[in-house]
Amino acid sequence: MPAPSALCPDCREPVLWTITEAGRRHAVDPTPTEDGNTAAYRDGVGTLRSRRPSEELPLLPYERLYMPHVATCSVRSGAEPPDATRCLGVIRLDERRGRRDRTGR
Ligand SMILES: [Zn+2]
């Protein structure tokens, strides 16, 4: 059973550290989820590479969708740095749920 690679420095929950296309470290929740907005795969040396899927480049067969940890972190939720949130395009869970309820899905 693989050990979690790291813990969140804020809430101590296990997270996976990915490297974005811009070369930044980006923590995601360790369990892939269809609700996530971060696509990630392991490259040849075992590094998790992440990116945002787009219409031009949708999720590829070897990629999984993950939820950015800042969206679920119990310590940082509601207090995440505004700049980082905007940059990563994090979708707040509350907004998603609200939207889903209104559309009846
Ligand atoms: Zn956390």
Side-chain angles (χ1 to χ4, degrees), residues 75-93:
V75 173
R76 293 180 67 185
S77 61
E80 62 267 65
D83 285 343
T85 307
R86 208 178 306 129
C87 163
L88 297 170
V90 169
I91 299 165
R92 286 177 187 278
L93 294 177

Side-chain angles (χ1 to χ4, degrees), residues 32-87:
T33 169
E34 288 180 12
D35 286 334
N37 64 4
T38 299
Y41 71 97
R42 274 193 200 282
D43 69 12
V45 294
T47 303
L48 263 182
R49 301 275 172 185
S50 65
R51 67 180 183 89
R52 304 246 349 248
S54 62
E55 291 208 8
E56 301 81 50
L57 260 179
L59 194 71
L60 295 168
Y62 55 83
E63 291 177 325
R64 290 289 200 62
L65 274 179
Y66 290 88
M67 182 66 74
H69 180 66
V70 291
T72 62
C73 181
S74 59
V75 173
R76 293 180 67 185
S77 61
E80 62 267 65
D83 285 343
T85 307
R86 208 178 306 129
C87 163

Side-chain angles (χ1 to χ4, degrees), residues 8 10-11 69 73:
C8 171
D10 295 315
C11 68
H69 180 66
C73 181

